């Protein structure tokens, strides 16, 4: 399938590079690895583990929203909240993005601010720069789950919150 999107240039390219640097900062702090470990420990045998902490493998693992929805249901179940509905066969982009949207809605209901969420396209379209917002959301979700006494606990790492101009760039 041909990619007909224009390449980023000018300010958009600069913003993308800045976010890629932020993802590199997240990696240096070990946040993606800790998020992957927490997701894997929580899901157990309910979903195959992430094959690697490399950003492309992580993005592909999360891309259809199944991991996110299954994971969110574990958190919601432990908190006595109703489970979210999602579609298990999410090979079609629209279905995958619906799953991701369901996850984002559930995150807000769980207690995170809406600013902690991310557009479904940021996860689905596979850019290192936009994965920053996904990892940041999951890290903040881990902190909220820890406050609620969820087990297994997430090894939360404080990371400077996103700036307004960094969100959804």
């Amino acid at each position: 399938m041909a990619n007909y999107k224009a390449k980023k240039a000018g300010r958009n390219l600069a913003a993308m590079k800045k976010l890629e640097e932020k993802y590199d900062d997240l990696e240096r702090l070990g946040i993606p690895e800790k998020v992957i470990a927490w997701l894997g420990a929580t899901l157990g045998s309910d979903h195959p583990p992430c094959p690697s902490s490399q950003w492309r493998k992580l993005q592909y693992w999360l891309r259809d929203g199944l991991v996110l929805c299954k994971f969110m249901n574990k958190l919601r179940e432990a908190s006595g909240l109703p489970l979210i509905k999602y579609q298990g066969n999410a090979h079609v982009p629209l279905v995958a993005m619906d799953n991701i949207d369901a996850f984002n809605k559930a995150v807000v209901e769980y207690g995170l601010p809406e600013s902690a969420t991310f557009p479904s396209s940021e996860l689905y379209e596979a850019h290192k720069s936009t994965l920053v917002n996904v990892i940041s959301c999951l890290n903040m979700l881990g902190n909220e789950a820890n406050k609620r006494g969820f087990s297994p606990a997430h090894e939360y790492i404080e990371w400077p919150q996103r700036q307004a101009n960094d969100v959804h760039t």
Side-chain angles (χ1 to χ4, degrees):
M1 184 170 160
N3 185 0
Y4 296 108
K5 284 182 116 180
K7 293 189 178 201
K8 295 201 185 290
R11 282 189 275 185
N12 287 338
L13 180 61
M16 185 179 79
K17 294 287 185 191
K18 183 178 177 184
L19 283 171
E20 285 180 358
E21 289 171 7
K22 287 187 181 220
Y23 189 84
D24 293 339
D25 291 343
L26 287 173
E27 282 187 322
R28 279 190 282 284
L29 292 170
I31 294 174
E33 291 81 10
K34 295 195 184 319
V35 165
I36 291 168
W38 183 49
L39 292 172
T42 300
L43 291 171
S45 62
D46 290 346
H47 198 85
C50 185
S52 165
S53 64
Q54 196 268 339
W55 77 267
R56 285 185 194 271
K57 302 263 187 204
L58 175 59
Q59 180 275 336
Y60 190 76
W61 188 60
L62 297 173
R63 176 179 194 192
D64 61 7
L66 289 177
V67 169
L68 297 173
C69 289
K70 288 178 181 181
F71 173 74
M72 195 68 225
N73 277 343
K74 296 274 187 180
L75 295 179
R76 291 175 69 88
E77 183 177 40
S79 293
L81 297 169
L83 302 182
I84 59 173
K85 295 186 188 312
Y86 61 92
Q87 293 188 15
N89 190 7
H91 300 293
V92 177
L94 183 61
V95 173
M97 288 194 238
D98 283 347
N99 284 346
I100 296 166
D101 288 341
F103 167 79
N104 277 323
K105 181 180 176 194
V107 162
V108 172
E109 291 171 356
Y110 193 73
L112 264 59
E114 186 144 349
S115 62
T117 64
F118 52 90
S120 57
S121 61
E122 285 190 355
L123 177 55
Y124 194 82
E125 291 181 358
H127 296 285
K128 181 179 179 181
S129 59
T130 56
L131 201 55
V132 168
N133 296 332
V134 176
I135 295 299
S136 179
C137 174
L138 290 168
N139 191 47
M140 290 189 297
L141 184 60
N143 190 39
E144 181 64 28
N146 288 348
K147 290 177 188 174
R148 293 174 179 235
F150 182 78
S151 181
H154 170 56
E155 191 177 332
Y156 177 73
I157 297 176
E158 186 70 36
W159 185 67
Q161 297 301 311
R162 299 183 292 196
Q163 301 297 315
N165 61 351
D166 293 340
V167 179
H168 315 308
T169 306

